[in-house]
Amino acid sequence: MMNVKVLGTGCANCRNTIALVQAVAREKGLTIELEKVEELRDIMAYGIMSTPGVVIDGAVVHAGGVPSRQKVEGWLANGSPS
Amino acid sequence: MHVIALSRKWPDTHPRAFLALAAVSWVALYWALIPASEALVAALPVDRASHLGGALQFFLYDTPKVLLLLTGIVFVMGMVNSAFTPERTRVLLAGRTEGIANVMAASLGVVTPFCSCSAVPLFIGFVQAGVPLGVTFSFLIAAPMVNEVALTLLFGLFGWRIALLYLGLGLSVAILAGWIVGRLRMEAHLEDWVRDMPRIVATADDLRLTLSDRVDAGFAAVRDIVGRVWPYILAGIAIGAVIHGYVPEAFMASIMGKDAWWSVPLAVVVGVPMYTNAAGVIPIVQALLAKGAALGTVLAFMMSVIALSLPEMVILRKVLKVRLIATFVGVVAAGILLVGYVFNAVL
């Protein structure tokens, strides 16, 4: 199962990102493991500087701002980060 | 927003044609705006000389003008900003010595897209890559205070002189305050876990942006920024309109005028705990000015509202010890005070 982590300290953009990933997964009928990472030290361990960040199966695929729907669809379709 | 949703296909394929057409329609709209809003106010069954008439006129003139300006400038800045990611800014600043680097950091703060919820990760990322502490602060002070939204509103409501003045003074406060924090050698007052994080070498991917990527970035910026700040602008202009219509002329002169020496520190003390963005505070500032408040006092108020806020301090407390936060607030507040006094003395 694909593991998706959303990194962010709980700001509006982070919540929007989580909602977007959930919505896309539901549309595609995929079951994914979605985690929120809100602790700063854990976020920083991924080496990103702007939140929200998205990590898929351990690899950072996005940082800064809510990702576009097409991007999210791409991640979930590939099954692995491009 | 319908227009944007429909037109997203062909701007990608013909970005030049789209930009030319967008520029022409924007200018046409802007010219049509003043006659249109004038006609609208004239058509309303209100006496223009009455309190309500004055307030309505202010609201109907300024709202479309400011929103139109903001949409245009945010789009253009979105295209420009797409070349300045935080990662690339960090590469530019890493390993530099203070001085020129403070100037660079403050200037990059203006163009690097920055969301206040990213302040802390950004701070750690900079420090980790060897950007000096004072230089990091120059960036963090300039980024929220001097940005396209603040400058556009100032330009729209007061003209280019005050917008430029704000740009120059905001940058000076950021450069000087960062430099002073750097001189004070406060690295020991970072939280321990931040200091103990492994150093990293800053790298950034080479961005190859096509014109249509940039057009996309412009749309994204408009959706994000204008979509987020328009309620603040509306509320700000509405409050401004009420002050405009109902508060007597020269009422503010006694409280916020030049002659009251204590008005500048008071403006800063009142401004720090207030938390709003540039979009919400500037229309109010305009109304205060119109009622006789002194420019320096009002600018000091505005800068302290935007640059220093309690929620930000709470977030920064996770990475900075209390003494460093206190120093940061003290130095920035002193800079803002100075700006207020210099302005009131010169103008």
Side-chain angles (χ1 to χ4, degrees):
Chain A
M1 186 163 47
M2 190 185 269
N3 173 283
V4 181
K5 293 188 182 75
V6 175
L7 318 177
T9 47
C11 58
N13 280 345
C14 314
R15 288 196 299 274
N16 292 340
T17 306
I18 292 170
L20 180 65
V21 173
Q22 271 171 339
V24 172
R26 206 176 312 121
E27 261 170 43
K28 293 184 175 284
L30 292 169
T31 38
I32 54 166
E33 191 184 354
L34 186 61
E35 284 177 56
K36 276 190 278 186
V37 180
E38 295 190 324
E39 191 56 46
L40 263 176
R41 294 174 78 149
D42 302 335
I43 294 175
M44 291 316 294
Y46 286 96
I48 63 161
M49 282 207 301
S50 29
T51 57
V54 179
V55 175
I56 294 185
D57 293 336
V60 177
V61 292
H62 174 83
V66 181
S68 67
R69 180 171 268 272
Q70 291 108 295
K71 257 187 158 181
V72 176
E73 283 170 354
W75 299 331
L76 296 189
N78 288 346
S80 61
S82 50
Chain B
M1 288 297 134
H2 286 297
V3 184
I4 289 173
L6 284 176
S7 58
R8 284 211 67 188
K9 301 288 186 291
W10 71 269
D12 276 345
T13 47
H14 303 91
R16 273 169 218 281
F18 167 75
L19 287 176
L21 193 73
V24 171
S25 10
W26 190 90
V27 170
L29 254 178
Y30 193 73
W31 283 111
L33 212 56
I34 292 174
S37 56
E38 215 157 313
L40 193 61
V41 174
L44 289 174
V46 216
D47 179 12
R48 283 178 88 154
S50 70
H51 287 316
L52 183 63
L56 270 178
Q57 196 178 1
F58 180 85
F59 188 78
L60 291 176
Y61 276 168
D62 281 341
T63 312
K65 180 172 93 174
V66 166
L67 287 178
L68 192 62
L69 268 175
L70 195 68
T71 307
I73 292 180
V74 164
F75 186 87
V76 173
M77 287 305 290
M79 292 177 65
V80 174
N81 286 349
S82 57
F84 294 90
T85 63
E87 285 74 16
R88 297 182 92 198
T89 296
R90 177 168 75 167
V91 171
L92 287 172
L93 294 174
R96 293 198 185 258
T97 46
E98 281 150 2
I100 296 296
N102 291 91
V103 178
M104 285 177 58
S107 318
L108 286 166
V110 179
V111 287
T112 307
F114 171 82
C115 151
S116 60
C117 52
S118 287
V120 168
L122 206 88
F123 184 94
I124 302 173
F126 274 29
V127 171
Q128 235 187 331
V131 178
L133 193 57
V135 175
T136 306
F137 269 110
S138 282
F139 180 87
L140 270 188
I141 298 166
M145 185 163 68
V146 189
N147 58 48
E148 66 266 29
V149 176
L151 292 172
T152 307
L153 285 169
L154 286 173
F155 171 73
L157 296 171
F158 307 115
W160 60 270
R161 275 167 202 265
I162 291 190
L164 275 185
L165 218 59
Y166 182 82
L167 173 67
L169 288 169
L171 285 177
S172 315
V173 168
I175 293 165
L176 277 177
W179 187 77
I180 293 170
V181 170
R183 288 291 92 184
L184 294 174
R185 302 257 157 263
M186 302 203 57
E187 281 76 2
H189 296 279
L190 291 171
E191 278 295 337
D192 299 336
W193 69 270
V194 177
R195 249 185 317 154
D196 296 341
M197 288 195 74
R199 300 282 111 176
I200 53 166
V201 177
T203 52
D205 300 333
D206 195 12
L207 293 174
R208 281 179 204 287
L209 293 168
T210 63
L211 192 59
S212 71
D213 288 340
R214 287 179 180 250
V215 169
D216 280 347
F219 277 125
V222 169
R223 264 200 313 277
D224 179 34
I225 298 177
V226 180
R228 188 156 37 85
V229 303
W230 74 265
Y232 292 93
I233 295 183
L234 241 55
I237 297 181
I239 295 172
V242 170
I243 298 179
H244 223 83
Y246 290 90
V247 176
E249 212 66 43
F251 172 78
M252 289 292 163
S254 54
I255 315 173
M256 293 181 83
K258 271 189 200 183
D259 301 328
W261 65 267
W262 41 267
S263 67
V264 179
L266 185 70
V268 174
V269 169
V270 172
V272 172
M274 286 181 66
Y275 177 59
T276 178
N277 46 32
V281 77
I282 292 176
I284 302 174
V285 157
Q286 188 200 20
L288 291 176
L289 271 184
K291 299 300 173 184
L295 185 59
T297 310
V298 167
L299 279 181
F301 173 70
M302 182 179 152
M303 284 182 168
S304 58
V305 170
I306 305 174
L308 297 172
S309 71
L310 282 182
E312 195 195 357
M313 302 306 135
V314 173
I315 301 173
L316 282 177
R317 179 63 192 87
K318 289 184 184 165
V319 282
L320 308 180
K321 291 182 183 164
V322 174
R323 255 184 78 184
L324 183 47
I325 296 189
T327 311
F328 162 66
V329 174
V331 170
V332 175
I336 295 174
L337 272 182
L338 200 66
V339 165
Y341 278 123
V342 167
F343 253 87
N344 282 351
V346 171
L347 291 174

